[in-house]
Structures are given as C-alpha cells and as structure tokens.
Amino acid sequence: GGSSLLPAAKMADLKTRMVEIKAASVVRRLLQKLRTATPENYDELEAEVFDCMEQQLVDLGSQHDKVQEEVEQALEKGRARVQEIQDQRANEVELVLRPRQLMEEIRNLIDPLKASIEALGSATAGVKGVDGLEGLATQAAAVEAEVKEFSGGVLTRAKEIKEAPQPDVVKAEWAALSRDVVQVKRMGEMAVRAAKAAGATIAEAQRAKRLEAKKA
C-alpha cells in the first residue's frame, strides 16, 4: 500500500506548487504597473503591492522570499523612476522660467511703443498747417528712435531666448511674440513714413502758395 501514497503526496505537492505560482503571478502582475508609475499614482500602487503581498502571504509558501525580493527591487526602481520624473519636471519649469521672463520684458517694451505710435498717428491726422510741422517732425523722429531702441532691446533678449534649450511650449509662445514684434515695428515705420509724407505735403502746398503770392 506504500506505493499508492506517493502519487497522492506528489499530487498535493503539485497542487501547492500551482497555488504558489498563481499567488506569485498575482503579485508580479501588480509589479508590472510599477514600471510605469508616476508621481501621481506611485503611493497608491505601493499600497496596492503591500496589500497584495499580505493577501497572498500564505499561498506564496516557498516562493515568498523570492517574490519579496522582486517586490523590493520593483519598489526601488519605481521610486527612482518617480524621482527622475520629478527632476525632469523641475528642470522643465526651470528651462521655461528664464525665456518667459525675457518674453515678459519684450511685452513690456511693446506697449509703450504702441502708445507712441498711436499718438504719432493722431498727430499726423490732426496737423493742419505749417505751424504744426515742427512738432510733428520732432514726434516722428522720437518714434523713429524709439523703434530703433525697441529693436535693439528685442534683439539682445531674442538672442538669449534662442540660445536657451526651448521646450515646445516656449517655442510656441516665442513664435507668437515674434509676430507681435514684427507687427509693431512695421506699424512704427509706417507711422513715421506717414508723418513725414504729411509734413512734406503741407510744406509743398505752402511753397506753392508762396510762389502764387509772388507771381501775384
């Protein structure tokens, strides 16, 4: 009768092994998730792993130590991964800070220039006779100088922005701001040209008047 005991013992052993393998695979499936852990979900995943180990403790049997070691390694890798993500995010924030500061400075240069351009436009539209010409010429020259100074101020900042490593979000913001810069410079140049043209027209009319008067 002794020989009939062996298959039964073997069956029990096999059954135990199957239970252990199943328990181990339940834990390992959870460890897979840790590979893609983020700072947002790491703590939750870690708690899940601990709970799972507790639940599978009895079933793990002889596999326990091996699986425990795998758990510790996976948690360590998960923490390292999360730390790396956090460092990368901090680095990206750092990368964005300086270009954004420079872009803000450029925006602060745009507004006063726009105001000067608008004022010159109004003065050009409002000039009637020769009396206003000197004032208009002075104003036009001031805006011309302002546009030049603005260009210089933008240039030095643009150089630094372009030399810095640019995250996509910065590239997009810089592209939009560059368009604004080009537009305001064009507006300035047009306003100066219009003021000079208006001045020339009035001066010409005045000369023609004087000639007429002489002839008479």
Side-chain angles (χ1 to χ4, degrees):
S3 64
S4 67
L5 269 175
L6 193 65
K10 247 190 168 162
M11 281 296 286
D13 191 34
L14 199 64
K15 214 172 177 184
T16 303
R17 290 275 302 143
M18 293 292 282
V19 168
E20 287 177 0
I21 287 166
K22 192 181 171 193
S25 81
V26 169
V27 177
R28 284 184 184 127
R29 242 199 322 272
L30 204 47
L31 295 186
Q32 288 283 343
K33 282 190 187 176
L34 274 172
R35 287 186 184 169
T36 56
T38 64
E40 287 72 31
N41 69 2
Y42 178 79
D43 291 343
E44 198 182 315
L45 286 175
E46 190 180 61
E48 264 183 67
V49 170
F50 289 142
D51 286 349
C52 185
M53 275 300 278
E54 225 169 275
Q55 284 160 14
Q56 304 300 330
L57 191 62
V58 177
D59 288 350
L60 278 168
S62 68
Q63 293 280 308
H64 179 271
D65 290 353
K66 188 174 184 300
V67 173
Q68 179 66 40
E69 200 177 309
E70 286 174 33
V71 165
E72 278 163 19
Q73 282 176 350
L75 288 172
E76 201 177 308
K77 278 185 184 162
R79 279 189 210 108
R81 180 188 150 77
V82 164
Q83 187 58 53
E84 205 175 294
I85 292 171
Q86 283 170 329
D87 291 347
Q88 197 181 336
R89 286 179 186 174
N91 191 30
E92 277 171 13
V93 167
E94 198 59 43
L95 284 181
V96 165
L97 278 180
R98 180 63 182 151
R100 279 203 171 139
Q101 183 192 341
L102 292 163
M103 286 193 276
E104 192 49 42
E105 287 172 16
I106 290 173
R107 280 188 200 99
N108 291 338
L109 296 175
I110 287 177
D111 292 334
L113 179 56
K114 265 188 179 168
S116 298
I117 291 167
E118 278 166 24
L120 179 60
S122 301
T124 303
V127 74
K128 293 287 182 278
V130 182
D131 298 343
L133 285 189
E134 202 178 318
L136 186 63
T138 306
Q139 207 171 338
V143 170
E144 202 167 8
E146 229 177 297
V147 169
K148 206 171 173 182
E149 197 181 321
F150 169 77
S151 296
V154 169
L155 214 61
T156 50
R157 290 168 176 87
K159 192 168 179 286
E160 193 179 335
I161 291 168
K162 284 176 192 162
E163 281 169 4
Q166 283 192 1
D168 287 344
V169 57
V170 171
K171 275 185 193 154
E173 285 172 24
W174 174 237
L177 182 57
S178 298
R179 285 194 292 275
D180 291 347
V181 165
V182 169
Q183 193 185 1
V184 78
K185 274 168 70 176
R186 198 174 292 144
M187 276 166 56
E189 285 154 10
M190 279 165 65
V192 170
R193 269 205 303 275
K196 286 180 176 174
T201 305
I202 289 171
E204 189 52 49
Q206 186 63 23
R207 258 200 305 278
K209 234 186 203 170
R210 274 208 297 273
L211 276 173
E212 282 298 312
K214 269 186 185 167
K215 281 179 189 167

